[in-house]
Amino acid sequence: MKYNLPKYILPALLAIAFGCSTAKQDITSSPKNKTSIDRKVDSLLSLMTLEEKVGQMNQYNGFWNVTGPAPKDGSAAKKYEHLKKGWVGSMLNVKGVKDVKALQKIAVEETRLHIPVIFGYDVIHGYKTISPIPLAEAASWDLEAIQRSAEIAAAESAASGLNWTFAPMVDVSRDARWGRVMEGAGEDTYLNSVIAAARVKGFQGNLGEFSLAACVKHFAGYSFAEAGKDYSTADMNRNTLHNVILPPFKAAADAGALTFMNSFNDIDGIPATGNTYLQRDILKKEWNFEGFVVSDWGSMGEMVGHGYAKDLKQAAEMAANAGSDMDMESSGYIEHLSALVREGKVSEDKINDAVRRILKVKFQLGLFDNPYKYCDEAREAATVGKKEFHDGVLDVAKKSIVLLKNEKNLLPLKKQGQKIAVIGALANDKTSPLGSWRIGADDNTAVSVLEGLREYKGNQLTYAKGADVVLGNPQFVVETKINTTDKSGFAEAIATAKSADVVIMVLGEHGLQTGEGRSRAELGLPGVQQELLEAVYKANPNVVLVLTNGRPLIIPWAAQNVPAIVEAWHLGTESGHAIAQVLYGDYNPSGKLPMTFPRAVGQLPMYYNHKSTGRPGGDAPTESVFWSHYGDIDNSPVYPFGYGLSYSKFEYGKVKLSAGSFGKNGKITVSVDVKNNSTVDGKEVVQLYIRDLFGSVTRPVKELKGFELTEIKAGQTKTVTFTIDEKTIEFYTANNKWEAEAGDFKIFVGGDSATKNEASFTFTK
Ligand code: NOJ
C-alpha cells in the first residue's frame, strides 16, 4: 500500500539535504543498509529544532478516541497539540489500523517535518490469539516453538497497526512471590539468554510488515525486587549483576534487538532510569548497542518518589544524562528538556545521540519509507485470528505442559468407558487461561479445560465447580479478591468425585493473580482450594491435579498425596485443547520446570544455581546444627529446576568425556546415552550443567551450560553430545571481565538440575 506522496514532504527535504535527485529511492530504508540510514538520520537531525528533537524523545499513552472529536481541553488537548507540532515521537496503547492510521496521519501530514510516530504495545505473549505465558513457554525448552510463537504475535499485532512490542522480558527471576515471574523465562541465566535471542528473532524477523521491533526489558535488576514485592529496591552485588542478570540482555542485544526498556527499581542506590553505569557504560559503550532505550511507564518521574531527584525537572536531567532516550508518560522531557539544554545541564550532543537512535529505529522499521506500512485494513481483517495462528499457539501450549507426577497409571486417561469427574472453577473458565499481560485479547476467548475434555466423546463427564478461586469478575487493573470462605460447592464436588473412576481437579491461580503488581506472600493454592483438594481426595483418591498458575506454587501436600500432577500454567487461547491432548496421551509431555518449586515461602528466593557456603548443606551433617539449613524444613525443593516427566521412561547412561582436560583454544566433548525404556515415543530435554570448583570469586554449585531437546523412539537409545570449550566456562571474574580461569570442574548430564550423573575435567590455561 502506498501513502499519498505529494502530501509528504520529508523525502524532498532529505533529497535536498543529500543533494540527491531521486528522493523516493533515497528514503528507502533497509536494515542491511546501515550507513545509508545513518546519513539520512544525520540529514534529518540537521533540519530539526531543539523542541522537535525533544519531541522525538517523548512518548504518550493513547489519549483520545480517534473516532470522536479532537480533544479541546485538559491534558488530552495538550497532548493533541503536541502531536500536531511534531512533539510526540511515540505512542503506546493505541491499537487497530483505524486508530493507528488516524494518529499517524496527523504526525506525517500535519507536522513540519512529517516524522512518523512509532506505535508500541505490550504484545507479551500474543495479541488476540494468545500463546502460553512466557514462563510456560520457557518450560518447553523448545527454541523453535518459542520463536514461532513470537512470530505469530508479531504478525497478528503488526497487521493491527503496531510496530513495536515491549517484549521480551528477560529478567532472571528467583523469587516466585514476584508476580512478574510469569513474564520471563524463569530462574536460569543461560535458559533466559537463549530464549531471549529466540524471542527477539521471532518478533523482529526481517523487519517486514509482519514484524515488530522488540524491546528488551527491564534493564536492569527489576526481578530482584526485595522479598518479591513489585517495584521494591533490587539489592545485589556487581558479581550477581554481571554473572546472573546481564547475560540475557546481552544475548538479546546480540540477536539484534532494536530497543531496550529500563526499569522501576533502583540498583546500588541509583534508579535504573537515571543509571549511567547500566545505560551508557555497559549497554551503549561496552555492548555497542545502537538502538534506543525507553523508560518504563513514568519511571523518570518516579525518581522523585525514590528520593533521588528533587523534582521532575531534575529527574529529566538525570535520565537524559544517564542515557534514557525516550520518556514513557512522565512528560519530564517534553516539559523540561529544552530548558535543561539551554541552561547547559544537558548537552545538545546527548540529545542528538538519543534522537539519532530513535530515528534510526524508525528508518530500520521502514516507517519513513511508508508511515502506513502497518496500516492496511484488508490485511488486518485477513490476519487477526488466523487458523494457522491457533494451530501455532496450540503447538507451543502442548509443549509447555510439565508432567510432575504420574502414579497408579492414572495418565494418560483411558479413552473409553470411564466416568470422569472434573472439578474446579478454573476448569470452566475461558478467561483465566489467557493469563496476565494479554491486553489485546478479549475475555472469554480461551478454550476451557472442560471444553477441551468434552471433545473426547468416549467417556462420561460430570462437572462440579467446588469453589470459586476469586470473587467477582477479575479485571486487569483491579486487585483480584480471593475466595477464602465460600465452601458451599464442596458437597456437590465430593458427591461428583465419589461416583467417578477418575477425578480431574483444575486448581491454581486465576490468570490475573499474576503479572505486574501481583506479588503474593502466600504461595499455596489460593483461597479454599487446598481444602477442596483434600476433601475430594478423601472421597476419591484417583485424583489428577491440573495446576493452572503463573508461578511456582507451594504444593508439598499434593506432591506427597495426589497420584498425578500436571503443571499447565496459563496456556493461552488453545489451553483446553492442549491440556486435553496431554491428559489423553495424544501428546506425550516433554516440558521441564524453568523455576524451582519450593517447599515453603520461607525458602525464597530459591534457585538451583545458588552459591556454596563454608558450611554447605547438600549432604546434611546430622550431628551438627551449625550448617546452612533450616531447623524446620529440608533444604531440597519439592520439584527442582529442569524437572519434568514423560509418558516415556528415560534412562541415562554414565557421562563420558573425550579427555580429562583441555587448554587454551582447546575443547572436550561430553556424551551420554539416553534410553527410552518404554513403549511410547517421547521427547527429553537432556541438560548439561557444570560446577567450577574454585575461582577468583565464589562460584555456583551448578550452572546450566547447554541442553538438547531430543526425540527418542520407544525402546531406542540416543547418544547426546555437547562440546565444552573456554566460552562454556567463562564468567565475570575478580578482574571485572569475562574470562575462563584455570581449575577443576565437575560436569553433570541428566534430566533435571538435581542429577548426580557426573564426571570431572581440568582447564589448564
Ligand atoms: C509497565 C511495565 O513495567 C512494562 O513492562 C510495560 O511494558 C509498560 N508498563 C507499558 O505498559
Side-chain angles (χ1 to χ4, degrees):
M1 196 205 78
K2 277 284 146 198
Y3 59 97
N4 194 348
L5 200 59
K7 282 192 194 157
Y8 184 63
I9 63 159
L10 179 63
L13 289 173
L14 287 172
I16 295 162
F18 297 141
C20 302
S21 53
T22 50
K24 196 161 172 294
Q25 259 175 18
D26 262 323
I27 62 156
T28 302
S29 50
S30 141
K32 286 186 209 115
N33 203 354
K34 275 193 169 180
T35 43
S36 128
I37 288 181
D38 289 339
R39 273 191 291 118
K40 289 168 193 164
V41 167
D42 282 343
S43 301
L44 181 50
L45 201 64
S46 71
L47 302 170
M48 295 172 79
T49 63
L50 177 60
E51 281 70 22
E52 283 165 340
K53 289 178 188 175
V54 169
Q56 285 303 305
M57 298 168 70
N58 179 38
Q59 185 189 53
Y60 281 146
N61 191 36
F63 54 84
W64 157 51
N65 174 2
V66 295
T67 53
K72 291 225 164 22
D73 36 48
S75 76
K78 191 166 153 198
K79 289 177 171 176
Y80 179 65
E81 284 314 310
H82 287 175
L83 184 62
K84 291 209 294 189
K85 283 186 182 161
W87 290 4
V88 180
S90 172
M91 292 191 67
L92 78 154
N93 292 333
V94 177
K95 65 173 175 13
V97 166
K98 196 162 150 230
D99 288 17
V100 170
K101 201 172 177 180
L103 291 162
Q104 191 69 294
K105 195 160 183 283
I106 297 173
V108 298
E109 296 188 16
E110 295 185 33
T111 64
R112 192 179 78 90
L113 288 177
H114 313 275
I115 300 175
V117 161
I118 176 170
F119 289 89
Y121 199 73
D122 288 284
V123 185
I124 306 298
H125 53 113
Y127 175 62
K128 284 265 182 246
T129 312
I130 300 297
S131 298
I133 55 169
L135 184 67
E137 285 193 350
S140 74
W141 299 54
D142 187 329
L143 301 177
E144 266 173 46
I146 291 170
Q147 182 168 333
R148 173 76 191 125
S149 159
E151 277 165 17
I152 291 170
E156 201 176 49
S157 50
S160 237
L162 298 167
N163 336 132
W164 180 26
T165 175
F166 303 126
M169 185 188 101
V170 304
D171 300 312
V172 170
S173 309
R174 294 170 160 183
D175 193 328
R177 289 172 293 185
W178 192 55
R180 296 195 85 164
V181 304
M182 55 74 48
E183 206 180 331
E187 76 189 35
D188 182 69
T189 298
Y190 178 83
L191 188 59
N192 262 284
S193 300
V194 290
I195 289 178
R199 297 191 75 210
V200 167
K201 286 186 206 143
F203 287 130
Q204 293 193 171
N206 60 358
L207 296 184
E209 69 249 31
F210 289 109
S211 306
L212 300 173
C215 182
V216 189
K217 67 190 190 186
H218 303 84
F219 199 64
Y222 182 39
S223 53
F224 272 50
E226 227 170 43
K229 187 151 55 93
D230 211 358
Y231 317 122
S232 275
T233 195
D235 201 2
M236 83 184 69
N237 56 48
R238 191 170 281 225
N239 180 278
T240 304
L241 176 70
H242 284 275
N243 281 312
V244 178
I245 295 291
L246 293 182
F249 288 97
K250 174 75 163 56
D254 290 346
L258 292 182
T259 75
F260 266 52
M261 184 186 290
N262 56 40
S263 54
F264 290 127
N265 56 285
D266 71 320
I267 181 166
D268 209 10
I270 302 174
T273 311
N275 201 308
T276 304
Y277 177 62
L278 288 173
Q279 298 175 114
R280 285 207 189 279
D281 299 350
I282 294 179
L283 179 62
K284 292 178 180 174
K285 286 202 194 109
E286 205 179 307
W287 297 355
N288 207 15
F289 173 69
E290 291 180 358
F292 71 85
V293 179
V294 64
S295 79
D296 202 343
W297 179 288
S299 64
M300 182 191 302
E302 288 181 17
M303 288 204 282
V304 178
H306 275 288
Y308 186 66
K310 71 171 188 295
D311 54 24
L312 184 59
K313 184 170 178 185
Q314 194 188 23
E317 177 189 335
M318 289 166 156
N321 281 329
S324 180
D325 303 308
M326 185 183 276
D327 170 14
M328 183 190 285
E329 268 290 314
S330 280
S331 290
Y333 283 168
I334 200 66
E335 282 176 24
H336 302 293
L337 202 46
S338 300
L340 286 163
V341 173
R342 289 193 192 99
E343 289 161 20
K345 292 193 169 137
V346 178
S347 71
E348 191 150 358
D349 279 355
K350 287 206 169 114
I351 306 293
N352 287 343
D353 177 61
V355 178
R356 249 192 213 106
R357 290 167 180 277
I358 293 164
L359 293 177
K360 183 168 182 171
V361 168
K362 293 184 179 184
F363 271 107
Q364 286 173 309
L365 280 174
L367 285 170
F368 281 100
D369 199 16
N370 179 3
Y372 302 119
K373 172 179 164 187
Y374 298 85
C375 296
D376 180 334
E377 264 117 351
R379 184 164 72 224
E380 182 178 37
T383 307
V384 175
K386 257 183 164 175
K387 157 103 176 52
E388 68 178 76
F389 296 165
H390 282 260
D391 295 345
V393 300
L394 173 58
D395 179 64
V396 65
K398 288 188 283 198
K399 292 173 172 166
S400 303
I401 293 173
V402 187
L403 180 64
L404 294 177
K405 191 173 175 191
N406 190 16
E407 288 176 356
K408 292 170 116 185
N409 280 331
L410 279 189
L411 292 175
L413 298 170
K414 297 187 187 72
K415 288 189 174 162
Q416 301 288 335
Q418 297 278 293
K419 280 195 200 160
I420 297 186
V422 181
I423 294 172
L426 292 171
N428 196 21
D429 197 316
K430 292 172 65 61
T431 296
S432 173
L434 299 173
S436 197
W437 276 126
R438 45 83 189 171
I439 49 178
D442 304 312
D443 281 357
N444 277 311
T445 50
V447 178
S448 72
V449 181
L450 206 48
E451 287 171 328
L453 290 171
R454 281 193 177 127
E455 288 183 20
Y456 288 81
K457 308 280 184 208
N459 289 328
Q460 191 191 321
L461 218 69
T462 44
Y463 170 68
K465 180 169 76 172
D468 283 311
V469 180
V470 289
L471 298 171
N473 183 19
Q475 306 279 307
F476 182 67
V477 288
V478 178
E479 195 91 50
T480 48
K481 292 272 172 284
I482 301 174
N483 168 29
T484 50
T485 50
D486 183 3
K487 299 188 215 161
S488 56
F490 274 34
E492 188 200 358
I494 290 164
T496 310
K498 267 190 182 146
S499 60
D501 298 310
V502 180
V503 185
I504 297 173
M505 297 197 72
V506 184
L507 305 177
E509 294 177 302
H510 187 278
L512 295 178
Q513 278 177 298
T514 61
E516 187 179 349
R518 271 57 167 210
S519 297
R520 288 177 58 207
E522 309 272 8
L523 293 178
L525 295 167
V528 295
Q529 292 181 99
Q530 179 65 33
E531 277 179 75
L532 178 66
L533 175 63
E534 291 182 28
V536 168
Y537 174 82
K538 212 166 146 200
N540 183 346
N542 287 339
V543 171
V544 176
L545 172 61
V546 175
L547 292 169
T548 78
N549 43 299
R551 64 179 116 212
L553 294 177
I554 309 279
I555 48 159
W557 186 89
Q560 176 102 49
N561 296 285
V562 173
I565 307 178
V566 173
E567 175 52 78
W569 317 104
H570 296 127
L571 289 177
T573 307
E574 290 290 333
S575 182
H577 286 145
I579 293 169
Q581 287 182 29
V582 164
L583 293 181
Y584 274 107
D586 285 340
Y587 187 81
N588 185 0
S590 54
K592 301 275 189 175
L593 293 177
M595 279 187 89
T596 304
F597 272 46
R599 292 182 186 281
V601 170
Q603 289 176 305
L604 291 172
M606 192 178 199
Y607 47 98
Y608 81 95
N609 50 353
H610 56 85
K611 296 282 185 71
S612 187
T613 69
R615 297 173 179 208
D619 308 301
T622 44
E623 72 283 3
S624 167
V625 72
F626 301 111
W627 62 287
S628 182
H629 75 304
Y630 301 100
D632 53 355
I633 203 166
D634 258 30
N635 274 350
S636 64
V638 170
Y639 297 116
F641 171 83
Y643 177 82
L645 304 172
S646 158
Y647 296 144
S648 312
K649 197 171 175 310
F650 297 110
E651 290 171 1
Y652 282 75
K654 274 214 74 59
V655 182
K656 289 178 235 151
L657 298 184
S658 60
S661 68
F662 70 99
K664 204 159 178 49
N665 299 323
K667 60 177 182 202
I668 49 172
T669 50
V670 182
S671 59
V672 73
D673 291 341
V674 186
K675 180 170 187 194
N676 179 347
N677 195 5
S678 76
T679 52
V680 209
D681 298 347
K683 282 190 285 180
E684 168 73 339
V685 182
V686 180
Q687 300 158 42
L688 170 82
Y689 297 86
I690 65 160
R691 175 166 186 174
D692 186 349
L693 292 183
F694 53 91
S696 62
V697 291
T698 55
R699 309 290 295 125
V701 295
K702 243 178 208 176
E703 289 175 288
L704 182 71
K705 289 293 176 182
F707 62 87
E708 190 172 315
L709 172 62
T710 185
E711 177 154 18
I712 310 178
K713 300 265 178 234
Q716 288 193 349
T717 298
K718 232 183 197 173
T719 305
V720 177
T721 308
F722 300 97
T723 302
I724 296 195
D725 58 18
E726 246 177 288
K727 265 254 129 335
T728 324
I729 56 173
E730 273 185 354
F731 66 103
Y732 194 78
T733 68
N735 293 329
N736 291 333
K737 62 176 188 186
W738 281 81
E739 59 188 332
E741 287 181 346
D744 298 331
F745 295 79
K746 274 191 180 175
I747 192 144
F748 307 83
V749 182
D752 63 56
S753 63
T755 178
K756 295 200 161 52
N757 191 14
E758 65 174 73
S760 303
F761 70 89
T762 303
F763 173 64
T764 51
K765 219 164 177 176

